[in-house]
Amino acid sequence: MTENITAQPKHTSLHGEHEKLGASFTDFGGWDMPLKYGSELAEHRAVRETAGLFDLSHMGEVWVSGDDAAAFLNTALVGNFAVTAVGKAKYSLIVNAEGGIVDDLIVYRIAETRYLVVPNAGNAPTVARLLTERAEGFAVEVTDASADTALIAVQGPNSEAIVRAVVATDDERAAVAGLAYYAWTAVTVAGIDVLLARTGYTGEDGFELYIPADRAPELWQLLLTAGESHGLTPCGLASRDSLRLEAGMPLYGNELNVDTTPFEANLGGVVSFKKTENFVGRAALEAAKEAGSRRVLVGLKGLGRRAGRGGYAVFTPLSEVTDEAPREIGVITSGQPSPTLGHPIALAKLDVSFAEPGTTVEVDLRGKREPFEVVALPFYKRGA
Amino acid sequence: MSQVHAGFRYSEEHEWIDEQSPATVGVSQVAADALGDVVYIELPEVGKQLTAGEVCGEIESTKSVSDLYSPVTGEVVEINDAVVADPALVNSDPYGAAWLFRVAVTAEGPLLSAEEYAAANDATVA
């Protein structure tokens, strides 16, 4: 894996649009992406209260087509895709033979024998390579279309009104309104073919629009114009991260990595042991499930004003009863002040015996320990 | 581009200090822009003895935590409760309403002129 070390940062086809909007940029998995356009807190609030516009073109798009597509995905990934209806999407994982998570991804069933697999930006080349390797012996074709595909997300309570405003016909407007969560439909926007999905990573209602990369600036402009009266705000990766954390969603590289099994990441439910295929990692995951996890992912709520950050150690509280010295029981994987809730939140990997909501633990905030409470996930739930 | 307030002097750690006595200390817009939205500030207490170049508090933004260094040696005589209550002032008015604390200065650390600081940080003096 040396191909990216000397490479220039990659730009999406929307880079010029971001520059025009005055974005500040950050490196993300080898991509030069907008961190924020103005205030990341204002962008965060826009998604919770009106709508936000995201460039996610750095994400990967890998097509899997052929008579064996369903059977192949059932051996390559942990989910059961034979039971996914055409028009639906499923959150899934690709693991290695040891059951470690290589990436989390979304799989859309486009047709009976055709799927779209969407891995994370930095992992896209690895996922495309693994799928190609694992396809040997199956009647499928694996095509990495990441370079030619752009992805724009509209997220927030006003997202449906904005997307309805840009599609071409009454039928399409009805289709947008009727689209279920984790489902997709094909629409046309100003002659641009759009694979429109009701998916996202913010905890809000929202849409993701897959389009040819060369048409992305045009669609971006159309959405910005249509969204003006709906409070649509361009949003960078800073607000995307605070939104996904409030929604309790894991991020690859923080909560998920090859040293973590789905069970340790609270994602045991996406592993299908019922399917007949002997998928990569099956034996290891069966053993891991049987053995149980020593540590699991939990939500923490800060009881003070200071936030815990990724890498900070978690300790048992000092006990007046047992007089026992505090010991390390876990580590924060992501943490920051929650803009919506007004207190610090964090995801942490904690010893199972401390994972019960209501448990008080202490986080080492750069030399000073402060109390945090284990809480149920997600931290923020739309409409709750 | 970040603005550097003319007439103040600056530490390499991005604190500014005015020419009054006692002196007022804040953080520069360069720092505020780099931090992003500031959500929490911890300041030294009134009466505390500060040493130039040493940590005296911290500034937390949505994305990170930074140490606050004292640009001077001396005793804290006043802190700005308004900025503790509303840390976003650091982003909106770093050279005014978001002053942090006042110090009876006995010695200064190394300080840069507004022009020198602006040149070192790709900013403009205004």
Side-chain angles (χ1 to χ4, degrees), chain B residues 75-114:
Chain B
E75 185 181 320
V76 178
V77 295
E78 189 181 354
I79 63 167
N80 184 359
D81 292 324
V83 79
V84 172
D86 182 12
L89 290 173
V90 171
N91 299 103
S92 59
D93 192 7
Y95 301 118
W99 66 275
L100 299 178
F101 53 85
R102 296 200 165 101
V103 193
V105 180
T106 55
E108 292 182 352
L111 295 170
L112 304 171
S113 70

Side-chain angles (χ1 to χ4, degrees), chain A residues 125-213:
Chain A
T126 305
V127 170
R129 178 173 53 80
L130 284 177
L131 288 178
T132 304
E133 283 172 19
R134 293 177 187 185
E136 206 182 305
F138 288 96
V140 288
E141 195 184 332
V142 175
T143 313
D144 184 357
S146 303
D148 306 318
T149 310
L151 174 57
I152 296 174
V154 185
Q155 300 279 300
N158 292 350
S159 55
E160 185 187 303
I162 293 163
V163 173
R164 277 166 53 91
V166 297
V167 295
T169 66
D170 282 345
D171 282 353
E172 288 186 338
R173 277 185 279 282
V176 171
L179 195 62
Y181 188 52
Y182 263 70
W184 69 272
T185 186
V187 295
T188 316
V189 177
I192 306 168
D193 289 330
V194 178
L195 191 162
L196 176 76
R198 202 157 204 161
T199 46
Y201 194 54
T202 60
E204 295 301 325
D205 185 17
F207 296 83
E208 295 186 304
L209 294 80
Y210 295 86
I211 45 170

Side-chain angles (χ1 to χ4, degrees), chain B residues 41-123:
Chain B
I41 294 184
E42 189 168 274
L43 295 178
E45 286 169 15
V46 170
K48 180 159 170 82
Q49 290 294 328
L50 304 180
T51 305
E54 291 195 356
V55 174
C56 65
E58 66 179 31
I59 296 193
E60 180 149 8
S61 66
T62 46
K63 68 171 192 243
S64 67
V65 190
S66 297
D67 285 324
L68 188 64
Y69 295 86
S70 179
V72 291
T73 298
E75 185 181 320
V76 178
V77 295
E78 189 181 354
I79 63 167
N80 184 359
D81 292 324
V83 79
V84 172
D86 182 12
L89 290 173
V90 171
N91 299 103
S92 59
D93 192 7
Y95 301 118
W99 66 275
L100 299 178
F101 53 85
R102 296 200 165 101
V103 193
V105 180
T106 55
E108 292 182 352
L111 295 170
L112 304 171
S113 70
E115 290 71 24
E116 288 166 336
Y117 177 76
N121 289 285
D122 194 25

